[in-house]
Amino acid sequence: MSLSSIDDVLRGWDGELAVSCHDERTDTWMFIAVHSTKLGPAGGGTRMKSYAAPADALRDACLLGRAMTLKMAVAGLPMGGGKSVLAVPRELSAADRRHLLLRHAHNVEVLKGSYRTGPDMNTTSDDMDVLGEVTEFAFGRSEARGGSGSSAPDTAVGCFEGIKASVAHVFGSPDLAGRSVLVQGVGAVGEPLVRTLHAAGANVLVSDVSLPRVSALYDELGVEVLAPESVIGAEVDVYAPCATGGVIDAAAIPRLRCRIVAGAANNPLGAPEDGELLSEAGILYAPDFVINGGGAIHLIGYEALKWSKEQVDAGVVGIGATLTEIYARADAEGISTETAAERLAYARLGQPAPPA
Ligand code: PPY
């Protein structure tokens, strides 16, 4: 990611506000980006990660917060969008991690419910339990502490439904038997996704920067393992990025040999216009904020809306139908699927979509 200044980040951002502080004990920059409260309190997870510069972390929070606004709107949830980033300089000791989480919980509490957090990259239900000692505005606490537990399995289910809808659009049938699907990143979401795809008869390929993770799946399911540098050029029906964002950029797109990009990673595109480049390359793109909405549906459904399991499951499975509708609109209007999805979100927000 390029080095950027706070000036670049906030001038170009259409969100409501970003709050920040620096934690001296852990040398961590802490950001909360509240992108929109138009449809309800801003919701979005807390990400813990290292960045080259504080402004890069702020940019991540701002763009991820915007994606949350679109995600909530498309999923029909009465919430706005936001995100937090704890830009740690290194992996923290347990005591330092707890200190940082308690400070973050205090910051969330200061926002009095206008921003509500949850687990995200490198944070878990256990971390939400720590936040819960200070603030009630943390979704995804453990079931023992009154939360709805990990939303990752439901994110995987939504992604699976989205892959089927995408395969149906391109190949005329949602049947995954014999279809090749490459899952990049086999963590909390990617791993259950691999199992579901495998059970559905797909020819699953996996890649992860962590060798133990992929070798466990190789031993158990016999899935093919790809080196991280072979992912972009892999000849597969579906490429499912389920790890970090920014993997599909102007340099990667001409090298892609897949028919479909449909994965659970947030912000997989390097830049907004990369959605158009994928479309021009004849690759069907499942917009991230639609296909990865299962986690938000799980957290908000169970905890804010008090939905039953049947209602949450129906919401998560509905991601397939939402994508089918977006693909039909994109075809009918001659626009990219990213643009069609953004227009759907902005229509629900009652705001004009930014120019494509
Ligand atoms: C995500 O879907 O990326 C999230 O961050 C999930 C979420 C949704 C609502 C509150 C907290 C986290």
Side-chain angles (χ1 to χ4, degrees), residues 52-72:
D56 291 334
L58 175 64
R59 180 192 297 274
D60 223 10
C62 288
L63 296 181
L64 290 163
R66 178 176 186 272
M68 287 307 301
T69 299
L70 303 180
K71 187 181 305 191
M72 299 293 190

Side-chain angles (χ1 to χ4, degrees), residues 35 45 103 248 277 324 346:
H35 179 263
R103 182 162 184 187
I248 299 164
L277 294 181
T324 301
Y346 279 95

Side-chain angles (χ1 to χ4, degrees), residues 23-343:
D23 181 63
E24 202 161 312
R25 169 165 160 182
T26 60
D27 191 16
T28 298
W29 283 98
M30 309 174 73
F31 297 106
I32 300 176
V34 176
H35 179 263
S36 171
T37 56
K38 181 93 192 277
L39 297 179
T46 295
R47 172 168 294 207
M48 198 181 284
K49 210 180 141 196
S50 296
Y51 293 84
D56 291 334
L58 175 64
R59 180 192 297 274
D60 223 10
C62 288
L63 296 181
L64 290 163
R66 178 176 186 272
M68 287 307 301
T69 299
L70 303 180
K71 187 181 305 191
M72 299 293 190
V74 164
L77 296 168
M79 296 282 290
K83 208 84 165 189
S84 316
V85 167
L86 304 178
V88 290
R90 60 185 172 276
E91 200 167 325
L92 300 182
S93 71
D96 278 355
R97 186 183 178 98
R98 181 176 163 77
H99 156 83
L100 188 67
L101 288 169
L102 290 173
R103 182 162 184 187
H104 179 48
H106 171 78
N107 293 349
V108 169
E109 187 65 13
V110 166
L111 295 174
K112 291 191 158 77
S114 52
Y115 167 71
R116 302 172 188 216
T117 196
D120 199 89
M121 189 180 283
N122 296 327
T123 61
T124 64
S125 288
D126 289 346
D127 296 322
M128 296 307 117
D129 286 347
V130 174
L131 297 188
E133 293 175 31
V134 173
T135 180
E136 60 175 302
F137 303 121
F139 294 110
R141 278 174 287 162
S142 65
E143 290 177 43
R145 297 286 180 92
S148 62
S150 173
S151 57
D154 272 331
T155 307
V157 172
C159 188
F160 176 71
E161 295 297 327
I163 288 174
K164 280 197 298 187
S166 307
V167 166
H169 188 76
V170 169
F171 298 105
S173 158
D175 190 2
L176 293 178
R179 292 271 163 235
S180 52
V181 185
L182 166 57
V183 179
Q184 178 185 35
V186 289
V189 174
E191 199 237 29
L193 176 63
V194 166
R195 290 179 191 286
T196 313
L197 290 165
H198 185 260
N203 170 20
V204 186
L205 299 86
V206 297
S207 184
D208 197 298
V209 289
S210 158
L211 206 54
R213 282 194 196 154
V214 281
S215 47
L217 283 169
Y218 170 81
D219 290 343
E220 190 191 329
L221 305 175
V223 294
E224 190 178 328
V225 176
L226 288 189
E229 60 274 16
S230 306
V231 165
I232 291 300
E235 252 179 69
V236 288
D237 294 320
V238 183
Y239 165 34
C242 294
T244 180
V247 286
I248 299 164
D249 57 16
I253 290 169
R255 298 172 48 220
L256 288 174
R257 294 290 174 270
C258 56
R259 297 290 305 276
I260 296 166
V261 172
N266 279 312
N267 292 353
L269 302 181
E273 58 273 19
D274 294 338
E276 312 298 325
L277 294 181
L278 281 173
S279 172
E280 285 161 18
I283 296 170
L284 182 69
Y285 173 60
D288 58 334
F289 59 86
V290 183
I291 193 170
N292 72 18
I297 294 169
H298 169 111
L299 295 172
I300 306 307
Y302 283 123
E303 299 188 32
L305 305 174
K306 307 295 175 202
W307 282 356
S308 66
K309 179 169 170 16
E310 286 68 32
Q311 287 173 297
V312 170
D313 288 350
V316 172
V317 169
I319 287 172
T322 304
L323 277 171
T324 301
E325 182 192 327
I326 287 167
Y327 296 157
R329 280 199 197 196
D331 285 349
E333 295 176 33
I335 53 178
S336 73
T337 57
E338 172 76 10
T339 300
E342 293 212 5
R343 284 190 191 170

